[in-house]
Amino acid sequence: MLTALDDAAVGQWCRAAVEALSDFRARLDDLNVFPVPDGDTGTNLLHTAEGALAALDEAAPGEPTWAVVARGAVLSARGNSGTILAQLLRGLADQLVDQPPADGPVLATAVRKAAESAYTAVAAPEEGTFLTVARAAGEAAVAAVDEGRTTLADVVGAAADGAHRALEGTPDQLAALREAGVVDAGGAGLSLVLDALVRTVTGVQPVRPALTRRAHPPHDHVHAPHQPPPGPGSEVQYLLADADEGSVARLHERLAGLGDSLVIVGVDTPTGREWNVHVHVADVGAAIEAGIEAGRPHRITVTPLAPVPPAAPVPGVRAVVAAVHSEGLAELFRAEGARVVVCEPGGITEDDLYDEVVAAGAQEVVVLPNDAGLHAAASRAAERAREAGREVGVVPTRSPVQGLAALAVADPQRRFGDDVIGMAEASAATRWAELAVADQEALTTAGLCRPGDVLGSAEGDVVVIGAEHAAVACDLLDRLLSAGGEMATLVVGPDEALGDAVCAHLSSAHPTVEVVRYGGGPGSLPLQIGVE
């Protein structure tokens, strides 16, 4: 039982929240009817929470945990509910960063103030939504302290219980929810996040009613909620850099006149303050132009509010979707006939992979994640695509060189299952290795490395540490080929001279080995190697 919420507990909470939102994503999407019934609330909340967790995993030593969580959530926030969740986390960070670990009373005050800040971030707040549930959580937490229940477990339990009570009342506050027979999807997501906090603090998972559609009796006195403008409209979202408070205030006023569901959340980053801007509008161009006038918008996304159902897959057509981490690799995989998803600053997500699978228009799709960290997202995307009528197989490639090996044996004339097995076998038969540069001191399987050391890893384990790229690369290849091999595939990063040196070494030391060399590798991996 925790008595205070320290940095380690915050990290555990983030992981627990991601697990909960991942488990319930589809059900939250099904509940989503307000402000637009576009069925993506669970997906957006999960993406936002994953952004906070990823920021924690990548944070530099000594960075304040709460600040990192807030930054990751705000920069990754997607959709209306995701952006409000990011604001709630940022509000908690404003209260708790650079402070001693929060005990019960301190956390209660922080939750209440964070809920208040979430209200101020939304241009036209509605009751019966995420905001109502957040406010109820803060009020319940403070009330518990006032009643003398001051332990951390008391406070988080009261906050979660208060949120669930408010959630059950949301259909009485919004006609759209009552007519659909659902509770608010964003509020349900927040309740899951707070239950994850209870589990982190107490070790016990609260037992709650199932998140399903339910019937609610009509209430004639309920005021009809404010709705987005009529017409299809679009959700516009972007990050905004190089903007001061005055510019953002003017942007807020401009966007409020253009559309609905406006949320703007700011956060400090190592390069200055950035803002996540979310709005539903009919005039997409005007919303983006307003951002350009205020600062530098980037990572712009535009999503129709009345999504067009994906076209039915074409029977007998097969496609391959590959995830890659550089434009050079993207060109390489496209040349081999694959569709590609290129890693953006926020990383490749389940949604990115799912969208590309559906966009392929094929009845049969093979997915090549090309990164061990993407296997789970690829599997979830494949499962969703199967539910949408596609036949999808995921070949668990851990490196682009394994993906290229799989593509080389792809045969659309074979039965789909046989083709997936053949590609998987080719991938598994390809031993993979790569060069990277250490950014911090660490103990590896090859010994202690320091910042700036060149690391040669095989199958994910560091086996060579050295000072020069070429020397480490040649040593690494010698080790790989000592176990045999007829062909070496090289994917070279920006340093072409490294590729020349490695090819020269292979020519002299291993003259019987066939060498296939490609350029376009990511700068973070100077060399990637496959041996077959």
Side-chain angles (χ1 to χ4, degrees), residues 324-334 340 400 491 519-522 528:
V324 297
H325 290 271
S326 71
E327 284 295 339
L329 284 173
E331 293 178 8
L332 180 57
F333 274 84
R334 289 191 188 104
V340 299
V491 178
Q528 297 175 83

Side-chain angles (χ1 to χ4, degrees), residues 228-446:
S234 296
E235 177 185 65
V236 177
Q237 190 156 16
Y238 49 80
L239 297 181
L240 183 69
D242 304 334
D244 57 30
E245 298 282 348
S247 298
V248 173
R250 290 189 292 274
L251 173 65
H252 194 283
E253 183 177 356
R254 175 93 178 271
L255 293 178
L258 286 173
D260 211 324
S261 296
L262 172 60
V263 189
I264 300 180
V265 181
V267 70
D268 291 325
T269 75
T271 57
R273 195 159 183 79
E274 291 211 33
W275 308 81
N276 193 317
V277 180
H278 171 277
V279 67
H280 294 173
V281 293
D283 190 342
V284 171
I288 297 174
E289 288 172 5
I292 294 172
E293 292 175 5
R296 178 174 60 84
H298 60 108
R299 281 174 52 186
I300 301 169
T301 62
V302 178
T303 306
L305 290 177
V308 178
V314 180
V317 175
R318 188 173 302 169
V320 177
V321 172
V324 297
H325 290 271
S326 71
E327 284 295 339
L329 284 173
E331 293 178 8
L332 180 57
F333 274 84
R334 289 191 188 104
E336 297 297 323
R339 301 176 66 94
V340 299
V341 179
V342 184
C343 183
E344 298 291 339
I348 295 174
T349 68
E350 169 191 338
D351 288 340
D352 297 329
L353 294 168
Y354 171 77
D355 290 344
E356 196 62 37
V357 168
V358 172
Q363 178 66 45
E364 301 167 340
V365 184
V366 181
V367 179
L368 305 176
N370 296 332
D371 183 332
L374 290 176
H375 286 183
S379 296
R380 293 194 299 266
E383 185 60 34
R384 291 169 60 189
R386 293 184 193 108
E387 293 172 358
R390 271 73 173 172
E391 189 171 358
V392 185
V394 178
V395 177
T397 52
R398 303 177 65 193
S399 168
V401 293
Q402 287 190 319
L404 291 170
L407 265 179
V409 302
D411 183 357
Q413 301 306 313
R414 289 190 291 193
R415 285 194 324 109
F416 179 67
D418 293 339
D419 201 26
V420 172
I421 291 171
M423 295 174 73
E425 289 175 343
S427 166
T430 302
R431 287 168 287 145
W432 62 279
E434 59 191 26
L435 254 61
V437 178
D439 57 5
Q440 62 184 6
E441 184 173 299
L443 184 61
T444 75
T445 51

Side-chain angles (χ1 to χ4, degrees), residues 45 81 84-85 88 118 128-135 184 186-187 189-190:
L45 288 171
S81 291
I84 298 174
L85 174 62
L88 192 70
T129 62
F130 188 116
L131 296 173
T132 304
V133 176
R135 182 180 61 200
D184 180 67
L190 176 58

